[in-house]
Amino acid sequence: NQEAAGEACLRRVVAIQRHHHGDASQPVAIAINDVGIFHYHRSNYPKAMQWWARALALNKKLHGPNHPEVAAVLNNQAAVHAARGKHQLALKLLKRSHAISLKAFGPDHIKLASSHHNLAATYEKLAQYPRAIAGYRRALAIEEKHLGPNHLNLASTLESLGTAWQDLGDLVKAEPLLKRAVRIKRKHLGDKHA
């Protein structure tokens, strides 16, 4: 079975990292996190959470509770809760992750764009559209500042913001955002992907 073979390979990477760097090291934490990512992408959420619990504990041991590596694992765990429809649990973890990232990088760092986007998507799932729109706007502002107005990464945020306005029934605000997203995709990917 492919999943067992994949996990065996990744467990071997963890073992190699332990051998070379010791049990409590960042390379081991990264390898453990990667096993969680593998299971997440195979929709094996219980196993993903088991591995991420180990990665979280190790990162806290290595760096303390307020480090960006801790924030990254919290974000991963939030993705599992979101995939399971447990949006309040996801929101709690995303808020904690965001607070850590904000403190570590400052409010205008590019890493905060994805944090705002993830929070906004969760607020949208909870039908808290004003908060979702505010989060998408903040993500878009950061992306535009760092990547420019026509970077491909903006298309996703523009689509999300446009969809949130659409969900509120405000097509006047939704339409230009969605059209801009299509223009950006066409520019970078061609007509077939827009």
Side-chain angles (χ1 to χ4, degrees), residues 78-172:
V80 168
H81 290 308
R84 290 176 160 172
K86 297 178 179 179
H87 301 294
Q88 288 292 348
L89 285 173
L91 183 62
K92 181 180 175 184
L93 294 175
L94 288 171
K95 283 181 176 180
R96 179 75 184 118
S97 175
H98 181 78
I100 294 168
S101 297
L102 185 61
K103 186 174 181 181
F105 301 114
D108 293 324
H109 195 281
I110 190 64
K111 289 185 182 263
L112 269 290
S114 63
S115 181
H116 283 289
H117 192 115
N118 292 341
L119 278 167
T122 303
Y123 282 126
E124 189 174 6
K125 291 286 187 185
L126 293 168
Q128 296 181 24
Y129 296 109
R131 286 183 172 177
I133 288 167
Y136 289 136
R137 282 181 168 165
R138 186 69 190 118
L140 183 61
I142 293 169
E143 289 171 344
E144 287 175 327
K145 177 181 177 180
H146 290 277
L147 305 174
N150 295 309
H151 193 279
L152 183 57
N153 288 4
L154 273 70
S156 173
T157 304
L158 287 163
E159 284 178 343
S160 297
L161 180 55
T163 301
W165 280 116
Q166 198 172 30
D167 290 344
L168 276 175
D170 194 334
L171 301 180
V172 172

Side-chain angles (χ1 to χ4, degrees), residues 68-86:
E69 293 294 335
V70 171
V73 178
L74 291 171
N75 194 67
N76 290 345
Q77 290 177 326
V80 168
H81 290 308
R84 290 176 160 172
K86 297 178 179 179

